[in-house]
């Protein structure tokens, strides 16, 4: 026998669409911050491409916005990709990071950073300087740049924390319940159900 399934009313569809849009907005609010449009530090010491006669005692990076110290990481790597220090940078003022280090040999060094700002946006990048060689550092190609930034990104995994993951789960569950209730809401005083066209039996 033919069966006819009632379709949701236009108002019900609009309400469901509104619920979905609200849930998506909530999910986006919990995702990691987007990259800043103006990426990179506005000042750096040593600077990108610097040729130093003596090794620096620290690296400082300055940005154009307030830095979240606890969520920002800087590493200085040698030619083999090893970190010169396991220390974390400290904030100087509101927008600068300082990382003390000790360089024992002449060579090219890479500064890699993954910085989170107070507004939730991030900046990730890398550059090189040389110390004691008398020549400019070798340029960073895409593969070397990616490998360098992976050191600071992967080592500190800025993924979704446990609390945010729980909120995402709750948000998804609420969305599922709202959509189900809207779909099954009675229409015209009767609960939604399959209707059998008995006249064609």
């Amino acid at each position: 026998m033919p069966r006819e399934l009632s379709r949701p009313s236009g108002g019900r569809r609009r309400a469901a669409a509104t619920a979905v849009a609200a849930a998506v907005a909530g999910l986006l609010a919990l995702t990691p911050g987007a990259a800043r449009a103006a990426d990179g530090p506005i000042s750096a010491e040593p600077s990108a491409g610097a040729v130093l006669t003596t090794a620096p005692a620290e690296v400082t990076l300055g940005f154009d916005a307030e830095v979240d110290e606890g969520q920002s990481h800087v590493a200085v790597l040698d030619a083999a990709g090893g970190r010169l220090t396991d220390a974390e940078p400290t904030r100087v003022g509101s927008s600068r990071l300082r990382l003390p280090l000790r360089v024992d040999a002449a060579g090219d060094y890479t500064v890699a950073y993954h910085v989170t700002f107070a507004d939730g946006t991030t900046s990730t990048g890398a550059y090189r300087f040389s110390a004691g060689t008398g020549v400019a550092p070798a340029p960073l190609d895409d593969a070397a740049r990616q490998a360098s930034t992976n050191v600071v990104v992967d080592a500190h995994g800025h993924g979704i924390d446990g609390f945010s993951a729980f909120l995402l789960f709750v948000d998804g569950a609420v969305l599922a319940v709202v959509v189900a209730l809207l779909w099954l809401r009675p229409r015209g005083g009767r609960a939604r159900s399959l209707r059998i066209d008995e006249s064609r039996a």
Side-chain angles (χ1 to χ4, degrees):
M1 289 180 285
R3 295 183 177 182
E4 204 174 279
L5 184 62
S6 300
R7 294 184 179 180
S9 65
R12 228 183 306 183
R13 283 195 298 268
R14 284 192 296 274
T18 301
V20 171
V24 169
L27 292 173
L28 291 176
L30 293 174
T31 56
R36 293 179 66 82
D39 199 21
I42 59 174
S43 65
E45 191 63 40
S47 59
V51 180
L52 307 180
T53 55
T54 58
E58 64 182 29
V59 167
T60 60
L61 302 175
F63 297 88
D64 62 355
E66 183 179 351
V67 171
D68 182 342
E69 179 181 359
Q71 296 297 315
S72 299
H73 310 286
V74 178
V76 179
L77 314 175
D78 59 22
R83 295 177 66 132
L84 297 187
T85 177
D86 290 327
E88 291 295 340
T90 56
R91 194 172 72 172
V92 179
S94 64
S95 59
R96 296 176 63 214
L97 290 172
R98 172 183 177 272
L99 179 70
L101 67 136
R102 179 176 177 178
V103 177
D104 294 324
D108 292 350
Y109 296 93
T110 302
V111 177
Y113 57 87
H114 179 64
V115 178
T116 300
F117 300 95
D119 63 3
T121 58
T122 63
S123 177
T124 303
Y127 70 86
R128 279 181 175 161
F129 68 88
S130 69
T133 65
V135 296
L140 274 171
D141 58 25
D142 290 340
R145 187 180 304 279
Q146 186 64 53
S148 300
T149 55
N150 283 347
V151 171
V152 288
V153 174
D154 295 346
H156 301 281
H158 288 289
I160 298 173
D161 57 62
F163 181 68
S164 295
F166 172 73
L167 291 180
L168 284 172
F169 172 78
V170 171
D171 205 12
V174 169
L175 171 62
V177 171
V178 168
V179 170
L181 291 175
L182 290 171
W183 184 262
L184 298 174
R185 186 175 61 179
R187 188 177 66 173
R190 292 181 300 172
R192 175 180 171 78
S193 63
L194 290 174
R195 295 182 300 178
I196 300 175
D197 187 354
E198 296 179 353
S199 64
R200 298 181 183 179

